[in-house]
């Protein structure tokens, strides 16, 4: 995680700088369903994630998103998926 994210909807996940997450699904709107080390799941903005290296792969870079949604996630009008 490269920047802190504080959830505003019940299906979002609180994340902090330096935390490691598993990306479960990516979406075209610039969000991803992630799971933290405590097993908690929720949506986070892709731009808050540093996807430079996959842990445990000897330094192989992780795949980059195909496309990021334009604009800033802080201005997103995303509705809860609950």
């Amino acid at each position: 995680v490269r920047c802190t994210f504080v959830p505003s909807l019940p299906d979002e996940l609180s994340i902090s700088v330096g935390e490691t997450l598993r990306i479960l699904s990516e979406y075209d709107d610039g969000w991803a369903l992630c799971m933290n080390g405590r097993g908690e799941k929720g949506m986070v903005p892709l731009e808050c994630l540093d996807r430079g290296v996959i842990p445990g792969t000897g330094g192989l870079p992780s795949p980059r998103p195909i496309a990021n949604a334009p604009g800033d996630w802080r201005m997103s009008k995303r509705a809860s998926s609950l």
Side-chain angles (χ1 to χ4, degrees), residues 22-60:
R22 173 177 281 165
I23 298 173
L24 304 174
S25 298
E26 290 184 33
Y27 301 95
D28 293 339
D29 63 357
W31 290 76
L33 175 62
C34 296
M35 183 170 62
N36 63 20
R38 296 176 300 282
E40 300 166 329
K41 295 179 185 178
M43 300 297 291
V44 299
L46 282 170
E47 62 183 62
C48 288
L49 306 178
D50 179 1
R51 299 169 37 118
V53 173
I54 301 173
T57 62
L60 293 174

Side-chain angles (χ1 to χ4, degrees), residues 4-22:
T4 298
F5 173 69
V6 177
S8 60
L9 295 171
D11 65 337
E12 296 173 349
L13 181 65
S14 177
I15 57 175
S16 300
V17 174
E19 188 173 359
T20 300
L21 302 176
R22 173 177 281 165

